[in-house]
Amino acid sequence: MTTERSDTIRSLARGLHVLSAINRLGAASLNQLHQETHISRQAILRILATLEEEGYVRRWLNDGLYRISSISPGVSRNFAQLTLMADIIAPSQVELMAQLDWPTDVAVLDGDRMAVCETTRRQSPFPFPLVRAGHRVHILQSAVGRVYLAFMEEPEREALLTRLRLSLDPYDTQSRKREAVARLVEKVRSDGFGVREPGYVAPGSGHGASMQALALPIFQGARVAACLSATWFARALSVEEFVERHLHDIKAAVAKAEMLIASSGIELQA
């Protein structure tokens, strides 16, 4: 009994040691955890598998690093919305990846830009440029930005456009063309989705000019919590072909994401 109890306590201690290291580092690879804890890699993998299963940590899709889960039991809910959305919606992205092969991104509004929460580009069989969590794209050119703008509540939309009109960024000058913006919003709302401005290349996004993207809003109640986008090579499929082949699956992933948000019980930032 003494030996069994000692082994159990030792296993618990090692698990807490790994959890503490992840919390301290913010994001950690297997090698980093091995260096920090001096526990064997094989044992760390078993610990991580248990922590993931119990909801305390998650291995992020965009960089493969382990982070404390924002929806883990007993962990503070005081997390940025970017992290919350990454944790909640990632399961929907993983399932969608198996259906599309094309990668998907989840993004939220971050000031006057959209910020990527999580992406499956690393898992895609296609050679897409990789982006990390926090990568920011413009509102009026990106698919996620356009769909967020179109489906956000009117007072918030006007406040955002007012800020964009004061911006010195060349990509924001379109915000001053009020009729064009109104037509864009109307079209996105009519279609139910937004598409990227052809040729748009966000800073740090690699060969973005050769890519196209389509995004849908993810709602929490009446407000947009995030946007889910799928990206593909423009030469492979037209927007119309992509819609015909894949829109149904993306809508299903959005519906599941909305259910996950609702069941999480988390109040997202306004």
Side-chain angles (χ1 to χ4, degrees):
M1 284 295 292
T2 302
T3 301
E4 182 179 344
R5 179 175 173 79
S6 297
D7 289 342
T8 301
I9 292 174
R10 183 167 178 265
S11 296
L12 175 60
R14 293 200 303 175
L16 292 173
H17 196 22
V18 171
L19 190 62
S20 176
I22 298 173
N23 191 42
R24 184 171 60 255
L25 294 169
S29 66
L30 177 62
N31 283 336
Q32 286 175 310
L33 291 172
H34 171 63
Q35 293 168 5
E36 283 282 320
T37 64
H38 304 292
I39 300 172
S40 72
R41 290 177 176 83
Q42 185 175 5
I44 291 174
L45 283 173
R46 291 197 298 268
I47 291 168
L48 289 170
T50 301
L51 291 173
E52 281 193 283
E53 184 176 347
E54 295 300 322
Y56 284 92
V57 303
R58 185 171 71 83
R59 189 179 188 187
W60 280 42
L61 302 171
N62 71 81
D63 55 16
L65 300 180
Y66 292 91
R67 292 175 173 85
I68 300 295
S69 170
S70 64
I71 57 175
S72 62
V75 175
S76 170
R77 298 297 191 228
N78 187 26
F79 282 79
Q81 187 169 350
L82 182 148
T83 304
L84 286 169
M85 287 294 92
D87 281 351
I88 295 171
I89 302 177
S92 300
Q93 287 183 269
V94 171
E95 292 182 9
L96 188 57
M97 178 81 241
Q99 297 169 313
L100 300 187
D101 283 337
W102 302 111
T104 61
D105 301 330
V106 171
V108 296
L109 184 66
D110 179 27
D112 299 339
R113 301 286 181 268
M114 298 296 292
V116 173
C117 303
E118 184 63 292
T119 176
T120 59
R121 295 188 185 200
R122 201 166 61 92
Q123 290 76 25
S124 173
F126 300 106
F128 281 87
L130 300 180
V131 296
R132 292 185 176 273
H135 176 72
R136 300 172 87 235
V137 297
H138 292 86
I139 298 290
L140 289 167
Q141 287 74 31
S142 66
V144 288
R146 288 178 166 187
V147 83
Y148 197 103
L149 182 73
F151 287 97
M152 67 193 307
E153 295 182 356
E154 178 64 34
E156 295 175 349
R157 182 189 307 126
E158 189 52 41
L160 175 57
L161 288 171
T162 298
R163 296 196 301 272
L164 293 178
R165 292 178 192 124
L166 298 174
S167 169
L168 299 178
D169 190 316
Y171 280 116
D172 294 332
T173 58
Q174 185 181 346
S175 62
R176 297 166 199 152
K177 302 176 182 178
R178 297 175 184 265
E179 291 185 3
V181 172
R183 289 194 298 271
L184 173 63
V185 168
E186 183 180 356
K187 175 171 174 52
V188 172
R189 291 182 67 88
S190 174
D191 292 340
F193 58 82
V195 296
R196 175 186 294 174
E197 178 74 20
Y200 169 62
V201 182
S205 61
H207 52 280
S210 65
M211 301 179 342
Q212 183 53 280
L214 179 147
L216 275 72
I218 299 173
F219 286 94
Q220 184 188 39
R223 59 177 290 268
V224 182
C227 299
L228 174 66
S229 69
T231 303
W232 71 96
F233 290 118
R235 66 177 181 273
L237 293 169
S238 67
V239 171
E240 293 75 19
E241 290 171 328
F242 189 87
V243 166
E244 183 177 352
R245 295 186 189 184
H246 301 303
L247 184 60
H248 176 77
D249 291 331
I250 300 172
K251 284 183 175 180
V254 165
K256 179 171 183 179
E258 291 174 343
M259 289 178 60
L260 290 171
I261 292 172
S263 63
S264 72
I266 293 174
E267 288 296 327
L268 301 176
Q269 298 172 9

